[in-house]
Amino acid sequence: MLTDFGDRDNFVGVMKGVILKINPRANIVDLCHNVRPQDVGQAAFMLKNSFRYFPKGTVHLAVVDPGVGSSRKAILVKTKDYYFVGPDNGLLHPSLGCEDIEGVVHITQEKYFLKPVSRTFHGRDVFAPVAARVSLGEDIRAFGRSIAGIKRLELAEPEISRDKLTGRVVYIDGFGNLVTNISEASFKSFAGSSGFRIAVGGQSLRRVSASYEEAAKGRLLAVFGSFGNLEISKAKGSAEKALSAGYGTQVRVTRITHKTR
Amino acid sequence: MLTDFGDRDNFVGVMKGVILKINPRANIVDLCHNVRPQDVGQAAFMLKNSFRYFPKGTVHLAVVDPGVGSSRKAILVKTKDYYFVGPDNGLLHPSLGCEDIEGVVHITQEKYFLKPVSRTFHGRDVFAPVAARVSLGEDIRAFGRSIAGIKRLELAEPEISRDKLTGRVVYIDGFGNLVTNISEASFKSFAGSSGFRIAVGGQSLRRVSASYEEAAKGRLLAVFGSFGNLEISKAKGSAEKALSAGYGTQVRVTRITHKTR
Amino acid sequence: MLTDFGDRDNFVGVMKGVILKINPRANIVDLCHNVRPQDVGQAAFMLKNSFRYFPKGTVHLAVVDPGVGSSRKAILVKTKDYYFVGPDNGLLHPSLGCEDIEGVVHITQEKYFLKPVSRTFHGRDVFAPVAARVSLGEDIRAFGRSIAGIKRLELAEPEISRDKLTGRVVYIDGFGNLVTNISEASFKSFAGSSGFRIAVGGQSLRRVSASYEEAAKGRLLAVFGSFGNLEISKAKGSAEKALSAGYGTQVRVTRITHKTR
């Protein structure tokens, strides 16, 4: 389960009740419920970077759904290894890029829904019961008709122009580490063996550290983090606060040409 | 499990350990652990609006217990479909209003408790082990003697006087939506087909929206939410903050009499 | 699982995915994920006070790991009743003091790791897969060579000097209760039947209450709490805020000698 429902309410717990009432043997795992409210992009980034760590056959139930009660579709996707259930607002799209898709269904079969379906909580009334049924092995075609495509959501890609690789902060973790959209591979391909400078929030870094511990307490450092991307961190502190950075903050890598040898 | 133990501590985790030590096959689900500290009324509202979503036979373990260590009773209630375990401080009362009650027991049988019983954490030492035993099928009469009644807690009801229906905010969710105690049914029965005005925090609304998306970003709206009650929301924002509202804030519905036709 | 990964990210969820991919029948329980960031001492205190509540055979997976990616060892400890997996930074040491240790292994066998092993998230790439394998019954010697000792971490002990017992706040719970390192036994052995005064943050208390409810709302009180230690609390409030106290704040017990009888 991935949602922006937070932990102050009974929403997630109630969804679990709904699932277990249908499939008492379901093993329900929380991926995260503290997606920033209604931030479909952040949720999509999290899901894309998480779903493959789960066992084959996992039903990924993702509900970040600012359009609940509007005309946005509820969808169900079957890939070779997984199922995905959620609103058709782009949330699932980045995760499906490299997967073998075996079917996409527009969920319309109301007999699976909790009645009356509320206008504000399809997580409980639509997505949870459908996910539970899917986990019981129900054929995805039972839930509605097949559709050809889903709403796209392109996660920001870094830009390369001559000597500059310009990325952005696309995720900030709970420690205040700034995760960029610059992958280790694209960084290395860009920087090659030349020197480089990483500029972010008025600060400049000239190397990528091998671990957090390499920098003295309070110092900024760059590191290839667990998402496989370049991260800006502060040793035993928060780079987010130190740099007053946010989602979208630019991180620029410049190649340094040595004029003399 | 429903508690106000929050997520900063090991309290909930330890209770789960205690339960699993007694019943390794227990499937433990968190309803919520972020009830406002010692707010029995909020917990009672949550439980009442959640427990029916869970499978028959569920043991609802609810511990919001400002009187822990005092003379308040520990109780166990069996209804037709569920068990409830918790302190006798009103927390369970609203949930039991429409249930077929099959037995109420004052938990006194110390052989089921963890020893020594602490003065401050009966969740661990009394309620968790009892709930675990109940989940194993132990007869409720094993835990103590039957009692006739439990402490009552009447959740606030709206007041109707001629042209005014005056409700209150009885729950504020993590998105800042203000849940009133005005049910969709009582609203519709009051408003009928006449016009109405909803007044809250100095603002006025003249319609109930069908979904959050109907209002432009930043606008207040009224909607029948997932609790089945009238809610005041702010599109992509927090009505709680926008209106400086809190628990108990008045929400007044006035019928508008059209003087001309 | 005990970590400082918080609940804003997908880190804990991903670790669970990794575990379930290896052992689909694992029953994963959260002890706490809101250890103060990188506070090994707090985590060690929590673990020491929690692990015995879990069933025999439990694999305690504890990751508070400021040295991730550095040369600190990853270790696996088997005691008579439990397994412990975590970084060798002192985190496990206080829990092992009274346990029968059957083996300590330096985890080096890379075939159990997720590849590529990230520099920043051994919770996912090293500890979770190892814990999952251990839960399947794999012999601990499979994971690396036995080592003789682990990094020590001595939790602060109170000091006794003539008429004074000086302890410290070693844990602050989510309600703002100040848990000291003064155990009920050491307090009683010190105070005996004489009078005493407990001084903390400029305030003075002359008795230990039997429960939170004994004190009027807003009053400070001392109580033997669920950790078995002396706690300073504020009735229906936060002693942490009332006393501007923190980790390390002194709590001093003085014996009062009655000069007259």
Side-chain angles (χ1 to χ4, degrees), chain C residues 31-46:
Chain C
L31 180 55
C32 185
H33 297 294
N34 288 300
V35 170
R36 297 193 308 169
Q38 311 189 337
D39 190 336
V40 174
Q42 192 200 27
F45 182 83
M46 271 199 206

Side-chain angles (χ1 to χ4, degrees), chain B residues 16-38:
Chain B
K16 291 178 180 172
V18 169
I19 291 169
L20 292 168
K21 211 166 183 172
I22 294 168
N23 179 4
R25 303 171 70 90
N27 187 358
I28 307 172
V29 178
D30 301 305
L31 180 54
C32 184
H33 297 294
N34 288 300
V35 171
R36 298 192 308 169
Q38 311 190 337

